[in-house]
Amino acid sequence: MASSGGNYDCVVIGAGHNGLITAAYLAKAGKKVAVLERRHVLGGCSTTEELWPGFKVSTASYVVSLLLPEIIHDLKLKQNGLKILPRDPSSFTPTPDGQYLLLGHDVASNANEISKFSKRDAEKYPQYNELLERIAAVVEPILMKTAPDPLPMPKDWRSIPLTKKFRDMSRLWSFYQDFGKLGGEIPEAIELLAGAARPILERWFESEPLRATLATDAIIGAFASISAPGTAYVLLHHVMGEAGGKRGVWGFVEGGMGGIAAALAKTCEELGVTIVREAPVQKILTSERGAQGVELADGTSYEAKVVASSVDANLTFRKFLQPEQLPADFLRAISNLDYASASAKINLALAEPPQFTAYPGQGLSPIHRGTMHISPTMDYIERAYEDARFGKPSEEPILEMTMPTSVDKTIAPDGKHILSIFVQYAPYELRDANWDDIKESFADRCVAKIAEYAPNVPGAIMHRQVLSPLDLERVYGLTGGNIMQGAMNFHQLFAMRPVAGWADHRTPVKGLYLCGAASHPGGGVMGACGKNAAVEIVRDF
Ligand SMILES: Cc1cc2nc3c(=O)[nH]c(=O)nc-3n(C[C@H](O)[C@H](O)[C@H](O)COP(=O)(O)OP(=O)(O)OC[C@H]3O[C@@H](n4cnc5c(N)ncnc54)[C@H](O)[C@@H]3O)c2cc1C
């Protein structure tokens, strides 16, 4: 006989940071909550695993900035152990001819660095950042709250209560007024929100190391060329968030990215939330009244009138529900979602830090605290994309490397290091190969590319983990390996995430909500999806 896991006000599917945040806010509102996590570790894509004795590795995500300050405060994350260590400098970009560009948060030293390549760019860089900051200040409030819906969707798509329409209109009106304050910069704001990164960067700057450093940010996690509309939007992330201590400063989490989930789990425990690990949900249970709970793969059922799913929309609607439980139009929109992805992750344990020929020296140096880019020109990025477009991993991949051990002594044995390498483009869909056959040789190619700039790296490798896009799907439950739970294209953002008309975390099944990166404002360790979902759930209670 199938066993019962108990009766709750709300069951949350998945203990990524968003699922845990939803659970904590609901418990704070007096609800009885259970979180069911498929894996043995918490945090989802923001996790720490001791892969090799003494090496505590942030296996997927590696830096944080966007985590909302009010979440850190409301959920007492600092008191419960969360410590964010600022990343400064922010980036180090060596060039093939032995030069480098080091950027950070000091205006004067940025000017010195950039003027090595272009005096004009050095003057323009602060103006560029100020523009981004002004635009981000207008956009950020709309990102951090439930998405208001301006779309004239027909009644048979979704019948929206008048109270919600008024709420949305009033929020849209204030956004409209704030947007107006940008004055003559409105066209630039629209281009940043919907346009391509490359033409913007080419207009602003003339030196390739600076252009390429900024352009790399634009395609992180996206299967897109920097010339494709939509890529400029991520440039804004560069100046957003303040989890690193100051606006726009990104940071490492002490103990690894799983430190966020560890602090959240402690808060959840204090609030009486039940967290069950190794509890894979396979079905969302419904009746004509709406959601009734979930069933695990082993048949255990958890009863609840509210189910909040932090996994992606494909799993939530196409795996956990049957087609007849959803309106056909909605299901068609979900089936059309874009999960294209081209990211892989390589984690290395190193006996010594990388020694770059462009920055000679022994041991640790300031460059190791920033993100080290192997992505020297915009044409290099375009060529890397071209390979992937035709179903091949880039011949010369873009590598974004961080070394958290440069600031955190708690995650590796004395004197040893962890190098986290985020790789583009590694397309999930390969034309003539299988990721399980080629991932190690692809990783060899990535290491060889690093060795062109830091020759000691191959000889310093003690251990290596390679996560192909297929592994990202298998390990973290990301459809198509998409690191954002669905591409962050304009038509899959804001009021259209996951699909038009359903961006307020509610779904066509009464009592079923989305609370993870599949919902507005999307991927990234931000917590807004989880918090806003809880606000809407409590409103409906
Ligand atoms: C390789 C990689 C690098 C990244 N780097 C960064 C970065 O540096 N900075 C940044 O801000 N963002 C980064 N991101 C994106 C960011 O990590 C994610 O967008 C974010 O963590 C998503 O959080 P979430 O809680 O919404 O979902 P997830 O973290 O995806 O959590 C969903 C949870 O649901 C669980 N689950 C899946 N199926 C089931 C099931 N059937 N039953 C129960 N549970 C289930 C999963 O195991 C997981 O724990 C990265 C992502 C990846 C993959």
Side-chain angles (χ1 to χ4, degrees):
M1 206 178 82
S3 64
S4 165
N7 198 319
Y8 293 85
D9 293 321
C10 176
V11 163
V12 178
I13 305 175
H17 78 291
N18 275 316
L20 291 169
I21 288 169
T22 301
Y25 274 105
L26 290 177
K28 251 171 94 87
K31 306 298 166 201
K32 186 181 171 199
V33 188
V35 185
L36 306 173
E37 167 55 45
R38 186 174 61 101
R39 299 194 68 209
H40 61 291
V41 282
L42 305 181
C45 299
S46 180
T47 193
T48 307
E49 290 180 63
E50 187 161 345
L51 291 184
W52 312 290
F55 289 94
K56 295 177 186 134
V57 181
S58 299
T59 48
S61 71
Y62 46 99
V63 280
V64 63
S65 155
L66 306 170
L67 187 61
L68 298 185
E70 65 256 42
I71 295 177
I72 298 178
H73 172 266
D74 293 350
L75 302 182
K76 302 192 169 67
L77 299 189
K78 282 189 184 156
Q79 293 90 316
N80 282 340
L82 176 65
K83 192 163 172 201
I84 295 177
L85 310 165
R87 182 192 64 168
D88 192 14
S90 48
S91 65
F92 168 73
T93 308
T95 65
D97 63 358
Q99 301 186 72
Y100 67 86
L101 173 68
L102 186 64
L103 293 179
H105 303 290
D106 183 74
V107 177
S109 66
N110 284 345
N112 277 339
E113 279 291 313
I114 298 170
S115 58
K116 292 192 307 200
F117 300 95
S118 159
K119 295 235 170 339
R120 177 178 164 261
D121 286 1
E123 276 163 31
K124 293 189 83 178
Y125 187 63
Q127 296 161 27
Y128 166 83
N129 273 329
E130 282 158 21
L131 174 71
L132 256 56
E133 274 162 25
R134 283 194 294 277
I135 296 171
V138 171
V139 174
E140 230 174 321
I142 207 115
L143 286 186
M144 302 315 169
K145 295 265 183 294
T146 303
D149 198 343
L151 298 167
M153 302 306 287
K155 268 216 175 77
D156 58 358
W157 179 267
R158 181 178 179 191
S159 167
I160 296 177
L162 224 52
T163 46
K164 173 171 157 50
K165 283 192 181 164
F166 282 130
R167 215 167 40 237
D168 284 0
M169 283 309 150
S170 116
R171 291 212 34 237
L172 282 165
W173 177 242
S174 67
F175 174 65
Y176 186 74
Q177 284 179 314
D178 288 346
F179 208 65
K181 289 181 197 148
L182 289 171
E185 287 170 342
I186 286 179
E188 282 165 288
I190 292 174
E191 189 184 13
L192 267 163
L193 291 174
R198 182 169 188 152
I200 296 176
L201 294 171
E202 280 178 336
R203 225 172 31 238
W204 273 94
F205 304 116
E206 60 187 11
S207 69
E208 271 307 308
L210 179 59
R211 286 170 167 180
T213 301
L214 300 173
T216 306
D217 283 346
I219 44 89
I220 282 302
F223 190 178
S225 139
I226 47 174
S227 298
T231 47
Y233 170 66
V234 186
L235 296 175
L236 286 174
H237 280 192
H238 177 67
V239 296
M240 280 184 186
E242 46 196 87
K246 264 203 286 177
R247 270 195 78 69
V249 176
W250 286 69
F252 300 102
V253 176
E254 189 176 75
M257 290 294 283
I260 298 171
L264 283 166
K266 198 148 178 243
T267 303
C268 281
E269 194 186 311
E270 288 164 4
L271 292 165
V273 174
T274 303
I275 299 176
V276 191
R277 299 166 194 237
E278 299 184 270
V281 169
Q282 71 167 8
K283 210 187 266 179
I284 295 172
L285 305 170
T286 64
S287 73
E288 65 289 349
R289 293 196 304 278
Q292 297 298 314
V294 300
E295 186 183 287
L296 302 188
D298 68 2
T300 308
S301 61
Y302 286 77
E303 281 175 53
K305 293 278 181 298
V306 166
V307 174
S309 174
S310 74
V311 304
D312 70 29
N314 178 51
L315 291 182
T316 304
F317 299 111
R318 298 181 70 207
K319 185 159 178 233
F320 300 159
L321 288 168
Q322 295 303 310
E324 58 277 12
Q325 290 169 291
L326 291 163
D329 283 347
F330 177 83
L331 197 54
R332 195 171 51 249
I334 295 291
S335 312
N336 286 342
L337 288 179
D338 181 0
Y339 287 98
S341 82
S343 307
K345 182 86 194 287
I346 302 173
N347 296 305
L348 302 180
L350 294 181
E352 60 184 24
Q355 300 302 325
F356 287 86
T357 23
Y359 198 99
Q362 295 301 316
L364 275 177
S365 58
I367 59 161
H368 295 123
R369 299 200 298 267
T371 300
M372 296 162 269
H373 289 212
I374 306 288
S375 177
T377 64
M378 293 204 294
D379 284 349
Y380 180 100
I381 301 175
E382 298 277 30
R383 275 195 298 273
Y385 172 74
E386 277 304 296
D387 292 335
R389 198 157 74 89
F390 297 105
K392 278 193 324 179
S394 306
E395 201 54 45
E396 295 194 288
I398 298 158
L399 308 172
E400 219 203 49
M401 303 181 283
T402 45
M403 203 176 80
T405 40
S406 59
V407 292
D408 184 357
K409 302 292 165 221
T410 69
I411 53 174
D414 238 11
K416 306 289 185 272
H417 292 280
I418 294 170
L419 191 68
S420 164
I421 311 169
F422 197 51
V423 185
Q424 317 274 333
Y425 297 89
Y428 175 84
E429 303 259 8
L430 291 176
R431 196 165 277 183
D432 299 313
N434 178 312
W435 268 114
D436 290 337
D437 297 334
I438 65 157
K439 73 173 186 176
E440 294 298 337
S441 59
F442 178 60
D444 290 343
R445 193 152 86 229
C446 294
V447 170
K449 182 46 82 183
I450 299 170
E452 289 177 21
Y453 295 83
N456 71 323
V457 167
I461 298 173
M462 301 168 67
H463 307 281
R464 173 167 106 174
Q465 180 196 39
V466 185
L467 293 168
S468 73
L470 193 60
D471 295 325
L472 295 180
E473 180 173 66
R474 289 174 183 148
V475 177
Y476 305 101
L478 300 166
T479 298
N482 189 291
I483 72 154
M484 304 295 190
Q485 289 195 5
M488 303 268 280
N489 303 330
F490 187 67
H491 70 282
Q492 291 187 184
L493 283 175
F494 304 109
M496 295 155 294
R497 193 167 186 90
V499 294
W502 289 103
D504 64 348
H505 305 279
R506 294 172 183 83
T507 73
V509 176
K510 190 165 179 274
L512 173 63
Y513 299 79
L514 284 183
C515 66
S519 57
H520 170 82
V525 182
M526 198 185 295
C529 311
K531 176 174 188 282
N532 296 339
V535 169
E536 300 305 325
I537 293 168
V538 170
R539 210 193 288 278
D540 290 353
F541 262 118

